[in-house]
Amino acid sequence: MKDSRESLELDKILHAAASYAVLEGGRELLSSFTPTADIAEARRLLDLTEEADLLLLTLGAGRVLYFPPQGDALERAQKGATLSCTELLSAAALLRSARACFSSVRSFADERIVRLKELTEYLIFDRDLEEDITGKIVGENELQDHASEKLFTIRREIRLLNERIRARLQEYLAGSERKYLQDELITMRGDRYVLPVKVEYKRAVRGLIHDRSQSGQTVFIEPEEVLEMNNELMTLRLDEEQEIARILAELSHRVGAHREALERDMDILFEVDSFYARAEYCHRMRCVRPVLNGKGIVHIVKGRHPLLDQKRAVPVSVSVGESYRFLLISGANTGGKTVTLKMCGLFCLMAACGLFVPAAEGTSLPVFDKVFCDVGDSQSIEENLSTFSSHVVNLKYILEHAGEKSFVLIDEPGGGTDPEEGQALARAVLKALLERGTRGIVTTHYSALKEYAFSAEGAENGCMEFDSESLKPLFRLKIGMPGASNALFICSKLGLPEEVIAEARRHLSAGAQAFDHTVRAAEESRIKADAVREEAERIRSEWQEKLTALEKEEAAFQKEKEKFLLTSRAEARRVILSRTAEAEELVAEIEEIFKKEQLSEADLIRARTLRNQMERSLPAEEEEKVRLEPADPEKLKAGDKVLIKSLNTEGAVLSVNKNKGEAQVQSGVMQVRCKISDLFLARRHEEKKERVEVVKNLQERAVVPREVNLIGLSAAEALEELNDFLDSAVLNNFDEVRIVHGMGTGKLRAAVQNALRKDKRVKEFRLGKYGEGESGVTICKLN
C-alpha cells in the first residue's frame, strides 16, 4: 500500500515549503519531515512556525545566514588534519550564522517569542575564532600578510629580494650583454628568474641553463650573479609555505576542538531554517493556523487544496468526526469529491508537520496516529494486480491496522468489479470501520451505500453540488443529503442519442430509478431553496444598510435641529438686547432735550423724530404677534412657510401630494416628508400699538463687564459665578472675556479650565501673557 504522504501528495507540499529554506540541510530536513502523532509535539511545531512568522514577517528579523555544507571537515579537524582555506572559511560562516541567529531571536523583547528562544538557547559560537579565520584568510587559497608577524616578515623579505633580482637582471637588458639576448625581457623557469639568450651566445653568459625553446634558438639561463639570490628566494618561499601551514593547522585545531558544538549548531540552524521556510510558504499561500483538538474532529472552514490555483480554487467547508464519524460524499463526476477527500487528509498531515493550512479562521484539526488513504488507480503490472485487486489489498491493510485514533480515506470503494458485489463490499467495509470507532471519508456513486448512510449510526451523507442547467460542478459540499451521479442526464446534455439514453434508463431497476429521481429532485429543491435564502439574505443586507443610512440621516437632522434652535435663541437674545439698547439711547437723548428750560420748535421736532425711531426699535415682544393655523390640504402650495409640529422646526414647502396627504418640506439642510396634518401656517395679525411716552428719570443702562473676578470663592461658587458671567457675555455678543482666578494652589484655575473645556459656548482659552496677569488669569474666546 502506498504511504499516505505520497497518496495525499504531502511530499509535494513539503518540497514546495522547503524551497524557501536558505540552507541545504534545512531543505532536506523539511522535505523528509515525518508527521507527528503526538498532539503536544504538533502544537510545539505550530508554535515555532507562528513565532517564525512573527519574527520574519512582522518584526523584520533576518533569515538564517547561509553557510556551505561542512562535509567531513569538522571530523578531520578534530582528528588533527589541517583544513584548507575554503573549509576554514566555511566553518567561520557556520560560526557567524549561529551567532547571528542567536542574537536575532533575542533582539526582540516580545513575550510571544518563546519556543524559538528555547530552540536557539543551545547555539554555541566563538566570535574570536570566527574573526581570526576571516581576518587571516582573504581568499580560497590566500592568507592575509598580517596573519602572523613571521609571515609578514617573510613576505616583506621576499618582496625586497624580488626587487633586487629584477634590478640586477634589468642591468643585463640595458648593458652590453643585451646583444646576447633573444628578447629584452625577464622570464621565469621553475620559480627562478632567467634570461632568454640566443643559443650561439650561451657560453657568453655565465650561468645555469634551465630550459630551451621548442625551436632550439633560445636557451634560458640563470646568471651566476642572481643564482644565489634565487636560492635565497626559494628558501624564503619554503619558509612562507611552512608558516602558512602552521597558521592553518592552528586554526584547524581550534575548529576541531568545537566539532561537537558546531555539529549541534548545524542541527539547530537547519531546524530554525525549516521553520522560517514553513512561515514564508504559509504566508504566500494565505494559510491560517488550525486549532488542534484531541477529539478526532475535522472541521475545515473554506479550505482550498494547496496544489490548486489559489485564485481559482472554490473554498470548501467540511466537518466530520463530531456528530458522525464517517462522511459519504456523492455527486457527479469531476464535482470535487476526490479533491475534498484528499484535502481533509492532507490538512491533518500538514498540521502534524507544523504547517498552517490554506483555509479560514475557525478551522480545527485533530492529530491522528495514522492516516490511511486508498485513492486512485493502484493497478500494478509488476505485482500482477488489477485495479480491483490492488484496492482489495489496500482495504485489507486498512482493516488490519486502522483503529479508533485513525483517519481513513477511501475513494470509490468496490470499484473495478461487478457493481452489485462492489457496493456490497463497500457497505461491509464501512460497517466494519464504524464498529471499531474509526473516523473517515468515503466517496461513492453507489445508491445502496447512500441509503446505508441514512440508517447507519455514525455515518452521514454529503454531496458535491452540480448545476443541471450549465452541466458544471459548483464545487460546494452540502452535508445531510446524498448527491445524484447524473450520469445519464450528463450524457443527454452532451448529445448522446436519446434512444440510447432511454434504453439505458429501461435497464435501471425501479428502485434505482426512484432513488435517483428522489435524490436529484431533493438536490434541485435544495439548490433553489439556497438561492432563495441567499436572495433573502441579500435583500436583508440591503435594507439593513438603508436603515443604517436613515439612522445616520436622522442623527444628523437632530444635530442640525439642536444647532438651529441654539442659534435661534442666541440671535433672539442678541436682537432684543440690541433694540433695547437703542431705545435706551434714544430715551436718554430725549431726556437731554427736555432738560432745557425753554424748548424751541426744533427741539420738539427732534424729540418727535427720536420717539418715532424708538418705536421702530422696540423689542420683538412689542411687535406684531403670530398666530398658527393648521395647514389646509386644498390651499397648501409650494413655497409656503410652515411649522412642523412634531419636530418643532420651520421649513418651506417643496411639493404637495394631496392624494397621500403628504408634503415635502425643506428644513435647513434636510428634506423631510411629513403628513400635512402635522403642518401649521403662520398668520400674522396687527394689534393696535400703544403710544410710547417719554418718561424722564430712567435708570442708566448697566454696563456689562468683560471680566469676572473669582478670587476668594470656592470651586462650586466660582463655577456658578462663571456660568452666569458667560451667559451675560454671550447675550452681549462678546468675542473675548477675561477670567481672574489668581495663582494660589492652582485648584481654582484647574476647575475653571476644566469647565471651559467642556462648555459649548467656549471656542478656545489660554493663560494670560506677560502684562495680562500671566497664570493668574485665563483669556477665553467665545463662539
Side-chain angles (χ1 to χ4, degrees):
M1 180 176 179
K2 281 187 180 180
D3 183 26
S4 60
R5 61 181 289 145
E6 181 181 351
S7 300
L8 296 175
E9 299 175 292
L10 175 66
D11 52 341
K12 294 181 180 179
I13 305 301
L14 292 176
H15 280 297
S19 66
Y20 295 104
V22 173
L23 305 174
E24 182 179 328
R27 288 192 292 273
E28 293 177 356
L29 179 64
L30 184 52
S31 297
S32 59
F33 196 87
T34 302
T36 181
D38 182 7
I39 189 170
E41 175 63 13
R43 288 197 176 105
R44 188 187 76 88
L45 296 175
L46 291 174
D47 287 343
L48 284 165
T49 302
E50 186 173 26
E51 291 179 17
D53 177 88
L54 177 64
L55 277 171
L56 187 65
L57 302 169
T58 302
L59 300 178
R63 298 292 298 268
V64 174
L65 296 182
Y66 174 78
F67 59 86
Q70 301 298 306
D72 62 346
L74 299 179
E75 181 182 359
R76 288 190 291 108
Q78 187 185 39
K79 292 179 178 179
T82 298
L83 303 182
S84 66
C85 293
T86 301
E87 290 172 330
L88 286 169
L89 287 174
S90 296
L94 170 57
L95 288 167
R96 181 172 61 253
S97 182
R99 175 174 56 81
C101 181
F102 183 86
S103 301
S104 175
V105 171
R106 280 160 177 75
S107 62
F108 300 98
D110 195 309
E111 296 180 355
R112 292 172 290 180
I113 309 300
V114 178
R115 300 283 192 183
L116 277 174
K117 288 182 179 178
E118 293 175 354
L119 180 60
T120 58
E121 181 181 357
Y122 299 100
L123 283 172
I124 301 297
F125 48 90
D126 186 336
R127 188 161 191 168
D128 292 336
L129 176 58
E130 174 197 335
E131 292 178 349
D132 279 349
I133 294 174
T134 56
K136 293 179 179 181
I137 303 175
V138 295
E140 292 184 357
N141 294 297
E142 184 179 359
L143 262 66
Q144 172 69 260
D145 288 351
H146 293 280
S148 71
E149 292 184 6
K150 183 176 181 180
L151 182 63
F152 176 77
T153 301
I154 293 171
R155 286 183 173 177
R156 184 181 60 185
E157 292 178 0
I158 289 174
R159 284 193 296 271
L160 293 174
L161 189 55
N162 271 320
E163 291 173 2
R164 287 169 54 200
I165 294 173
R166 294 184 69 85
R168 180 64 190 92
L169 293 176
Q170 198 69 33
E171 294 176 2
Y172 278 90
L173 300 181
S176 59
E177 295 92 343
R178 182 174 59 183
K179 60 185 178 182
Y180 305 134
L181 303 180
Q182 190 73 262
D183 297 302
E184 294 183 7
L185 56 84
I186 301 170
T187 185
M188 300 285 292
R189 284 295 185 272
D191 293 331
R192 300 177 76 90
Y193 289 101
V194 295
L195 293 173
V197 180
K198 296 176 182 178
V199 68
E200 60 267 26
Y201 297 116
K202 64 181 181 179
R203 298 187 184 279
V205 178
R206 296 173 60 83
L208 181 64
I209 297 175
H210 282 276
D211 198 3
R212 175 181 294 182
S213 66
Q214 291 184 356
S215 64
Q217 299 300 314
T218 305
V219 292
F220 297 94
I221 299 176
E222 180 184 5
E224 285 184 348
E225 297 183 19
V226 299
L227 183 61
E228 192 61 34
M229 288 189 287
N230 270 332
N231 289 337
E232 186 179 353
L233 182 61
M234 293 295 294
T235 302
L236 287 173
R237 284 177 175 160
L238 290 174
D239 290 343
E240 179 189 22
E241 290 177 3
Q242 185 177 357
E243 179 62 13
I244 289 174
R246 185 194 67 78
I247 294 172
L248 294 180
E250 179 185 341
L251 294 175
S252 300
H253 175 73
R254 292 171 65 186
V255 170
H258 289 82
R259 176 196 172 183
E260 294 180 359
L262 290 177
E263 288 179 344
R264 184 167 60 250
D265 282 357
M266 283 194 295
D267 292 339
I268 294 173
L269 291 172
F270 291 158
E271 191 169 358
V272 173
D273 187 39
S274 73
F275 284 107
Y276 278 139
R278 286 176 173 91
E280 187 164 350
Y281 171 80
C282 295
H283 173 73
R284 292 178 181 270
M285 294 296 293
R286 296 182 291 118
C287 298
V288 300
R289 174 175 179 167
V291 176
L292 296 186
N293 65 77
K295 302 177 181 178
I297 300 172
V298 178
H299 180 67
I300 299 173
V301 182
K302 296 182 179 179
R304 310 176 309 277
H305 196 290
L307 295 180
L308 296 178
D309 184 350
Q310 297 300 295
K311 295 181 179 178
R312 300 175 57 187
V314 179
V316 178
S317 297
V318 187
S319 185
V320 61
E322 189 172 12
S323 57
Y324 50 90
R325 297 191 304 279
F326 255 89
L327 177 65
L328 269 71
I329 304 177
S330 53
N333 292 322
T334 70
K337 300 187 300 297
T338 303
V339 172
T340 301
L341 174 142
K342 293 175 72 173
M343 179 188 73
C344 294
L346 179 60
F347 277 16
C348 293
L349 294 179
M350 287 176 67
C353 291
L355 285 166
F356 295 174
V357 295
E361 294 290 346
T363 296
S364 179
L365 299 171
V367 175
F368 293 107
D369 60 355
K370 193 70 175 177
V371 176
F372 298 94
C373 184
D374 179 29
V375 178
D377 188 355
S378 303
Q379 188 179 51
S380 174
I381 296 176
E382 293 179 356
E383 298 180 12
N384 195 26
L385 291 175
S386 66
T387 299
F388 176 73
S389 300
S390 62
H391 281 303
V392 171
V393 171
N394 291 342
L395 293 175
K396 174 179 177 293
Y397 182 84
I398 291 172
L399 291 172
E400 288 175 350
H401 296 89
E404 186 177 351
K405 295 182 179 180
S406 302
F407 194 46
V408 175
L409 305 168
I410 307 177
D411 185 30
E412 309 253 354
T417 188
D418 177 73
E420 187 172 351
E421 292 183 346
Q423 63 185 357
L425 174 64
R427 176 171 173 168
V429 170
L430 178 58
K431 181 179 179 182
L433 292 172
L434 282 171
E435 287 175 349
R436 65 181 64 179
T438 307
R439 290 168 172 80
I441 300 176
V442 173
T443 65
T444 186
H445 288 287
Y446 290 143
S447 298
L449 208 56
K450 300 174 192 177
E451 293 175 4
Y452 175 71
F454 275 119
S455 58
E457 182 179 355
E460 181 61 274
N461 273 301
C463 70
M464 304 303 297
E465 291 190 346
F466 183 82
D467 189 341
S468 58
E469 297 296 328
S470 63
L471 293 181
K472 292 182 179 179
L474 300 177
F475 303 108
R476 293 198 301 260
L477 175 64
K478 290 293 181 181
I479 297 176
M481 285 291 292
S485 298
N486 291 307
L488 297 180
F489 184 73
I490 293 173
C491 292
S492 175
K493 289 289 185 179
L494 293 176
L496 202 67
E498 284 299 324
E499 58 271 19
V500 175
I501 303 297
E503 180 66 20
R505 292 188 190 280
R506 281 196 294 272
H507 287 288
L508 288 174
S509 65
Q513 292 186 50
F515 182 80
D516 187 65
H517 176 75
T518 301
V519 169
R520 185 164 56 251
E523 187 174 352
E524 291 176 355
S525 298
R526 186 184 67 252
I527 292 174
K528 291 178 182 178
D530 287 344
V532 172
R533 180 182 57 78
E534 290 176 1
E535 179 65 16
E537 182 64 25
R538 184 187 64 78
I539 294 173
R540 189 194 68 79
S541 298
E542 288 181 0
W543 278 105
Q544 184 63 43
E545 291 176 2
K546 291 179 180 179
L547 180 61
T548 303
L550 286 175
E551 289 175 350
K552 290 182 179 178
E553 288 183 6
E554 182 181 1
F557 176 76
Q558 290 295 334
K559 188 175 180 181
E560 186 69 23
K561 173 185 171 183
E562 292 174 2
K563 182 179 178 182
F564 173 76
L565 292 176
L566 184 62
T567 305
S568 298
R569 294 191 188 103
E571 181 64 16
R573 288 195 297 268
R574 189 191 65 77
V575 170
I576 291 172
L577 292 172
S578 176
R579 293 189 178 182
T580 301
E582 290 177 8
E584 290 177 352
E585 290 175 359
L586 293 172
V587 169
E589 192 172 346
I590 293 173
E591 287 181 343
E592 289 296 325
I593 293 174
F594 282 97
K595 284 181 180 179
K596 297 179 181 180
E597 295 181 358
Q598 291 185 355
L599 299 176
S600 63
E601 185 67 23
D603 292 333
L604 294 174
I605 293 173
R606 176 62 178 161
R608 283 195 296 270
T609 303
L610 293 173
R611 184 197 65 186
N612 293 334
Q613 290 180 6
M614 187 173 64
E615 288 177 351
R616 289 194 297 271
S617 300
L618 285 175
E621 287 79 4
E622 298 185 10
E623 294 182 353
E624 58 186 18
K625 296 184 178 179
V626 178
R627 180 169 53 86
L628 297 178
E629 294 181 357
D632 188 346
E634 299 298 328
K635 297 180 180 180
L636 188 64
K637 61 184 182 299
D640 285 350
K641 301 294 184 180
V642 296
L643 173 71
I644 307 173
K645 184 178 179 182
S646 60
L647 300 178
N648 193 26
T649 186
E650 295 181 355
V653 177
L654 297 176
S655 62
V656 179
N657 189 333
K658 295 181 181 179
N659 294 331
K660 292 186 177 181
E662 295 178 346
Q664 189 81 10
V665 180
Q666 179 76 40
S667 177
V669 296
M670 302 291 293
Q671 290 187 8
V672 184
R673 183 176 297 279
C674 50
K675 297 292 184 181
I676 295 178
S677 59
D678 194 33
L679 302 180
F680 288 83
L681 293 172
R683 302 298 186 194
R684 300 182 182 276
H685 61 89
E686 296 290 336
E687 289 185 356
K688 186 177 180 180
K689 296 180 181 177
E690 298 180 357
R691 289 179 59 84
V692 178
E693 297 182 357
V694 178
V695 182
K696 291 187 177 182
N697 299 325
L698 292 177
Q699 294 181 356
E700 293 184 0
R701 179 187 176 192
V703 178
V704 179
R706 291 178 176 266
E707 175 184 297
V708 63
N709 191 337
L710 306 178
I711 296 176
L713 301 179
S714 66
E717 293 171 344
L719 293 181
E720 185 176 354
E721 183 75 13
L722 175 62
N723 187 55
D724 294 339
F725 171 69
L726 291 177
D727 278 340
S728 177
V730 170
L731 290 175
N732 283 275
N733 206 27
F734 291 163
D735 58 349
E736 186 177 284
V737 294
R738 186 168 181 265
I739 305 168
V740 181
H741 44 64
M743 297 181 185
T745 61
K747 292 184 178 180
L748 184 57
R749 178 179 68 243
V752 168
Q753 293 188 350
N754 188 44
L756 294 177
R757 193 173 290 110
K758 300 176 182 178
D759 200 318
K760 296 182 178 180
R761 296 169 294 186
V762 177
K763 182 178 182 181
E764 60 182 31
F765 62 88
R766 62 176 174 81
L767 288 175
K769 299 178 181 176
Y770 180 75
E772 293 180 334
E774 300 182 23
S775 61
V777 170
T778 295
I779 306 301
C780 176
K781 288 188 178 181
L782 303 177
N783 290 315

